[in-house]
């Protein structure tokens, strides 16, 4: 299995451990990820309105880079998934738009054809690789661990663009975690917002959104929260202390990346998976 | 599934004059397939408990009065089928009905819509005609089908406030503008008969306004009319940038993406706070930055451009040149 791996900005800076943990185990599953070094930022759901036409060209280019390799594009960030899928949906539905972007791409000998799918790593594991096959590869089942799946917004909504999970009752991450041997908990915040996108411009309110989700995760009795999105991870982990202190709480819960939790079940250590880099990590490292 | 069965309804009830807090009343009723949630709770009111209070009117998904949370999700009771909801029950066979979120409860399922209406006024959500008062009514003010096209989706809004109830930011900030009001404001800004877009946009980008949307897409997901509300929210933000309202933190943050994709291809996170917040607020972030640095969670100080950045720059330049030519009338 081979994919074009889209490099998300945040994994090149704040959450480097995500790609590092993926690097650890991809050979175990035989999933080859070809890094799209020439790819550019998806626009972070901001470029979309700053310059909608150029944003479309930019993401058409990202997809065209994967098409050039004859591979589907896979991302490990929800917001990148949304931005790039949004572009794909527009382009696949309009010949006029395809012609428009290709006028730009031809200068780089690229062409948007619509032949590559745009997927999240979670979907690749669940659908392309398959949970039965994954179960066979588990060497250190996460038995006894209670995990709270936190999906994040842009892998669920708008569902018209995503179409994998029911955004009101998502299951894909739950099923994956159960395949790895863990028990999953039901809690209200599993499909809610983490507040990341307004952390700089409306910090107080964003911390309240984040704090609500983290509290809910702790109160569900989970040992860890697991998220398939590095932006959610940053909000829930790096801002956790600040967010919980606003709610007058001084407890904590570690937040794991999807790639790390898979790595743990495949037998890698917390350190190899970069869990020691998290702001909240003590109880995982013990 | 059976065509007729007994179904349990749990309705969240609250009378602020009597009750200390809201509580569930449970009703088991025999229903036939094809019945809506509104018909079911009307049946309960007519035959079992006349005190149950809720708003409803058209019973056809047009008036927007019967929005409530059904199995945790804001919907219109009149267009929601009981049999469909049986698939969404957290507890099998039990349909939970609650009032909308983010609003005070007046009684049972009736919420106070006044704050919503106040915000519609605050943000001037009506057409300010560009015709002089003396000439109003003298000459027809028409909108062509082409002109209407840009706002058509926004005119579908029936003010049910399901988006308001679901909005992540409304939950933590009752002063937040809300998706509903932004959709309305966008619609007025783009109306060719309107003359107040400049003033309205200035109000829209103040604190608690358009830049505070956290992009959770819950409004889009739960709009009962399937309106792509984010298109309007992003439209309001674009209008602010186009009108030169670029000094707010939100505007500076958004423009950083444009600048960084041009210069490096990727976001330069190391300088993002200072570019968004300015020097003073960035210095205040020092303790947080140190904590991040202690775990090596720091963006590269001198990020490298992507491997083909020269091509990306050419792409941007081609776009600029085409825009200039378009303006000169030589596409």
């Amino acid at each position: 299995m081979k994919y074009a791996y889209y490099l998300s900005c945040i994994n090149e800076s704040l959450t480097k451990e995500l790609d590092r943990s993926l690097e650890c185990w991809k050979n175990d599953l035989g999933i080859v990820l070809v890094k799209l070094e020439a790819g550019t930022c998806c626009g972070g759901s901001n470029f979309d309105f700053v310059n909608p036409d150029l944003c479309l060209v930019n993401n058409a280019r990202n997809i065209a880079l994967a098409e050039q390799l004859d591979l589907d594009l896979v991302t490990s960030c929800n917001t990148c998934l949304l931005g790039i899928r949004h572009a794909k949906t527009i382009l696949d539905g309009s010949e006029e738009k395809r012609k428009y972007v290709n006028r730009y791409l031809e200068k780089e000998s690229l062409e948007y054809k619509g032949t590559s799918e745009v997927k999240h790593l979670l979907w690749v594991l669940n659908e392309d690789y398959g949970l039965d096959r994954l179960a066979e590869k588990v060497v250190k089942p996460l038995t006894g661990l209670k995990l709270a799946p936190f999906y994040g917004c842009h892998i669920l909504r708008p569902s018209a663009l995503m179409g994998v999970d029911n955004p009101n009752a998502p299951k894909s991450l739950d099923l994956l975690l159960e395949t790895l041997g863990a028990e999953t908990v039901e809690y209200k915040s599993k499909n809610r917002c983490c507040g990341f996108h307004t952390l700089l411009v409306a910090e107080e309110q964003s911390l309240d959104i984040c704090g609500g989700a983290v509290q809910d995760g702790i109160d569900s009795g989970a040992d860890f929260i697991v998220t398939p999105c590095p932006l959610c991870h940053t909000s829930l982990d790096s801002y956790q202390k600040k967010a919980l202190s606003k709610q007058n709480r001084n407890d904590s819960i570690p937040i794991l990346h999807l790639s790390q939790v898979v790595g743990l079940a495949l037998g890698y250590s917390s350190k190899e998976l970069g869990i020691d880099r998290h702001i909240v990590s003590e109880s995982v490292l013990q | 599934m059976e065509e007729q069965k007994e179904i349990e309804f749990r309705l969240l009830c609250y009378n602020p004059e009597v009750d200390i807090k809201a509580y569930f009343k449970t009703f088991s009723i025999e229903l036939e397939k094809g019945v809506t949630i509104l018909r079911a709770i009307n049946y309960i009111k007519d035959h079992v408990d006349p005190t149950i209070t809720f708003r409803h009117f058209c019973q056809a998904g047009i008036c927007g009065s019967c929005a409530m949370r059904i199995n945790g999700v804001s919907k219109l009771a009149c267009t929601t089928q009981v049999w469909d909801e049986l698939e969404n029950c957290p507890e099998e066979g039990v349909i939970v009905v609650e009032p909308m979120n983010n609003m005070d409860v007046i009684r049972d399922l009736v919420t106070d819509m006044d704050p919503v209406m106040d915000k519609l006024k605050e943000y001037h959500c009506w057409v300010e005609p560009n015709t002089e008062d003396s000439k109003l009514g003298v000459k027809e003010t028409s909108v062509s089908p082409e002109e209407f096209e840009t706002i058509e989706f926004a005119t579908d809004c029936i003010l049910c406030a399901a988006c308001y109830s679901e909005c992540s930011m409304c939950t933590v900030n009752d002063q937040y503008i809300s998706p509903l009001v932004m959709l309305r404001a966008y619609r007025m800004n783009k109306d060719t008969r309107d003359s107040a877009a400049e003033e309205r946009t200035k109000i829209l980008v103040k604190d608690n306004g358009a830049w505070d949307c956290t992009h959770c897409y819950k409004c889009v997901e739960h709009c009962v009319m399937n309106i792509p509300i984010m298109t309007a929210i992003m439209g309001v933000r674009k209008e602010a940038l186009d009108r030169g309202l670029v000094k707010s933190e939100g505007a500076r943050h958004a423009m950083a993406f444009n600048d960084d994709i041009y210069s490096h291809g990727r976001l330069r996170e190391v300088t993002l706070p200072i570019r968004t917040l300015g020097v003073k607020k960035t210095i205040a972030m020092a303790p947080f930055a140190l904590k991040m640095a202690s775990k090596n969670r720091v963006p590269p100080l001198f990020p490298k451009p992507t491997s083909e950045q020269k091509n990306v720059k050419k792409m941007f330049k081609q776009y600029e040149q085409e825009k200039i030519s378009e303006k000169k009338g030589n596409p």
Side-chain angles (χ1 to χ4, degrees):
Chain A
M1 294 177 85
K2 201 171 175 184
Y3 296 90
Y5 184 62
Y6 176 77
L7 299 172
S8 299
C9 299
I10 196 158
N11 293 339
E12 304 273 296
S13 62
L14 298 177
T15 51
K16 291 190 193 88
E17 72 280 358
L18 193 157
D19 281 358
R20 204 168 86 191
S21 56
L22 199 52
E23 203 64 41
C24 263
W25 57 255
K26 64 181 195 196
N27 293 335
D28 298 52
L29 302 186
I31 297 178
V32 180
L33 298 173
V34 183
K35 287 182 181 170
L36 284 182
E37 299 282 358
T40 48
C41 169
C42 68
S45 91
N46 277 283
F47 195 32
D48 313 55
F49 58 84
V50 174
N51 195 330
D53 290 338
L54 206 42
C55 184
L56 186 67
V57 177
N58 181 50
N59 279 328
R61 181 177 172 277
N62 283 327
I63 304 170
L65 289 167
E67 289 184 357
Q68 195 180 39
L69 302 170
D70 206 14
L71 298 172
D72 285 344
L73 183 151
V74 61
T75 145
S76 59
C77 167
N78 289 5
T79 297
C80 300
L81 177 77
L82 171 67
I84 302 172
R85 273 183 83 88
H86 187 223
K88 181 169 172 63
T89 307
I90 294 172
L91 293 166
D92 289 352
S94 161
E95 197 185 340
E96 193 191 328
K97 295 282 186 193
R98 286 197 296 277
K99 275 188 186 157
Y100 174 75
V101 300
N102 282 331
R103 276 200 297 110
Y104 288 85
L105 302 186
E106 67 187 16
K107 307 270 162 50
E108 216 179 329
S109 304
L110 287 170
E111 186 187 357
Y112 180 89
K113 300 192 201 85
T115 50
S116 287
E117 291 301 319
V118 176
K119 302 174 177 183
H120 192 282
L121 180 66
L122 173 65
W123 302 349
V124 166
L125 291 170
N126 274 45
E127 295 177 357
D128 297 2
Y129 195 80
L131 295 179
D132 291 342
R133 209 165 139 201
L134 182 64
E136 288 168 17
K137 300 280 181 181
V138 171
V139 294
K140 204 176 162 199
L142 308 178
T143 319
L145 273 185
K146 280 168 93 174
L147 302 178
F150 186 90
Y151 285 78
C153 295
H154 298 161
I155 201 169
L156 300 175
R157 293 180 290 266
S159 58
L161 272 186
M162 300 301 161
V164 168
D165 271 302
N166 169 357
N168 301 323
K171 288 198 181 96
S172 58
L173 182 56
D174 289 71
L175 293 173
L176 180 86
L177 299 178
E178 285 159 17
T179 299
L180 303 177
E183 184 190 332
T184 55
V185 299
E186 271 304 323
Y187 69 124
K188 289 197 300 286
S189 295
K190 75 190 252 186
N191 61 349
R192 287 189 181 169
C193 179
C194 72
F196 177 86
H197 284 283
T198 37
L199 269 168
L200 281 180
V201 298
E203 188 185 356
E204 293 301 310
Q205 294 86 346
S206 307
L207 288 175
D208 286 341
I209 295 175
C210 164
V214 175
Q215 261 194 103
D216 198 15
I218 296 173
D219 295 343
S220 72
D223 298 304
F224 314 127
I225 292 174
V226 180
T227 176
C229 176
L231 306 182
C232 296
H233 186 277
T234 300
S235 179
L236 302 178
D237 171 68
S238 303
Y239 286 84
Q240 183 177 132
K241 198 171 177 196
K242 237 176 171 178
L244 283 180
S245 69
K246 280 196 84 197
Q247 316 280 342
N248 298 318
R249 302 225 0 189
N250 54 14
D251 42 1
S252 66
I253 185 167
I255 317 293
L256 300 182
H257 295 289
L258 164 70
S259 56
Q260 289 172 329
V261 89
V262 172
L264 287 173
L266 294 176
Y268 292 91
S269 70
S270 297
K271 196 137 195 234
E272 284 172 298
L273 299 166
I275 295 174
D276 55 331
R277 291 185 80 246
H278 296 184
I279 298 295
V280 183
S281 60
E282 294 78 7
S283 61
V284 200
L285 298 173
Q286 276 158 17
Chain B
M1 206 184 280
E2 299 162 61
E3 298 291 300
Q4 184 162 359
K5 66 195 286 187
E6 186 159 302
I7 295 164
E8 190 173 314
F9 281 81
R10 265 180 222 162
L11 309 187
L12 192 63
C13 294
Y14 177 54
N15 177 353
E17 288 176 11
V18 188
D19 303 320
I20 295 167
K21 60 175 192 173
Y23 62 99
F24 282 104
K25 277 187 184 172
T26 303
F27 305 93
S28 279
I29 50 172
E30 185 86 11
L31 290 175
E32 280 179 11
K33 191 176 176 184
V35 166
T36 63
I37 298 287
L38 182 61
R39 286 273 301 276
I41 55 175
N42 247 327
Y43 179 89
I44 294 170
K45 187 174 176 71
D46 288 346
H47 299 278
V48 191
D49 184 345
T51 72
I52 299 294
T53 308
F54 50 97
R55 281 196 188 100
H56 65 111
F57 185 64
C58 77
Q59 304 186 54
I62 292 167
C63 76
S65 354
C66 68
M68 50 189 75
R69 277 185 303 139
I70 302 162
N71 286 332
V73 178
S74 306
K75 294 176 178 179
L76 294 182
C78 72
T79 54
T80 305
Q81 287 286 326
V82 168
W83 252 245
D84 289 345
E85 273 312 308
L86 288 173
E87 309 286 320
N88 302 331
C89 297
E91 190 180 322
E92 207 184 328
V94 181
I95 295 178
V96 180
V97 184
E98 299 162 284
M100 282 197 284
N101 266 332
N102 302 335
M103 288 166 242
D104 289 336
V105 173
I106 295 175
R107 176 132 180 205
D108 298 347
L109 303 171
V110 178
T111 54
D112 183 6
M113 298 281 282
D114 283 355
V116 184
M117 298 305 146
D118 290 345
K119 286 179 193 174
L120 286 168
K121 287 181 203 154
E122 185 186 342
Y123 291 95
H124 297 252
C125 294
W126 56 84
V127 168
E128 298 265 16
N130 50 21
T131 313
E132 283 173 42
D133 277 2
S134 61
K135 289 184 183 159
L136 274 175
V138 178
K139 194 171 168 281
E140 189 181 28
T141 311
S142 57
V143 176
S144 71
E146 293 76 34
E147 287 170 341
F148 186 68
E149 216 170 279
T150 52
I151 55 170
E152 189 176 0
F153 74 95
T155 61
D156 285 343
C157 174
I158 56 172
L159 292 172
C160 71
C163 61
Y164 196 104
S165 167
E166 293 290 333
C167 171
S168 303
M169 195 46 87
C170 284
T171 305
V172 295
N173 179 9
D174 59 8
Q175 300 300 305
Y176 173 58
I177 177 170
S178 81
L180 183 158
V181 176
M182 252 186 296
L183 177 70
R184 284 270 151 164
Y186 171 83
R187 179 239 173 284
M188 301 307 161
N189 267 359
K190 296 289 179 197
D191 193 307
T192 49
R193 300 163 299 172
D194 181 74
S195 61
E198 173 112 32
E199 279 312 303
R200 193 183 291 111
T201 308
K202 281 182 189 162
I203 308 170
L204 283 163
V205 294
K206 284 187 174 172
D207 285 352
N208 305 314
W211 294 113
D212 284 9
C213 161
T214 189
H215 310 189
C216 73
Y217 280 80
K218 288 192 98 182
C219 55
V220 177
E221 194 61 46
H222 298 291
C223 175
V224 304
M225 300 300 287
N226 291 319
I227 302 172
I229 303 176
M230 269 312 279
T231 305
I233 296 176
M234 291 194 175
V236 166
R237 290 174 169 188
K238 183 170 192 325
E239 175 133 19
L241 299 179
D242 291 347
R243 288 181 181 277
L245 300 168
V246 293
K247 288 190 175 156
S248 64
E249 290 170 356
R252 289 199 300 259
H253 184 254
M255 289 188 305
F257 284 82
N258 181 80
D259 300 346
D260 289 0
I261 296 172
Y262 174 74
S263 67
H264 285 70
R266 304 234 166 82
L267 196 57
R268 287 179 299 143
E269 283 165 358
V270 69
T271 54
L272 193 60
I274 200 160
R275 285 181 288 160
T276 301
L277 304 171
V279 178
K280 209 171 145 191
K281 281 194 180 174
T282 304
I283 291 172
M285 285 178 76
F288 176 75
L290 285 173
K291 191 173 74 177
M292 293 290 273
S294 73
K295 291 287 190 133
N296 198 19
R297 297 182 93 71
V298 276
L301 290 177
F302 304 103
K304 279 190 296 188
T306 63
S307 58
E308 302 293 333
Q309 195 55 29
K310 59 179 191 310
N311 292 328
V312 179
K313 285 189 175 176
K314 276 185 199 162
M315 194 171 89
F316 272 69
K317 282 175 186 156
Q318 182 184 347
Y319 176 82
E320 290 307 326
Q321 275 163 6
E322 288 187 10
K323 280 282 151 201
I324 294 166
S325 310
E326 251 176 55
K327 273 187 191 157
K328 287 183 184 162
N330 330 302

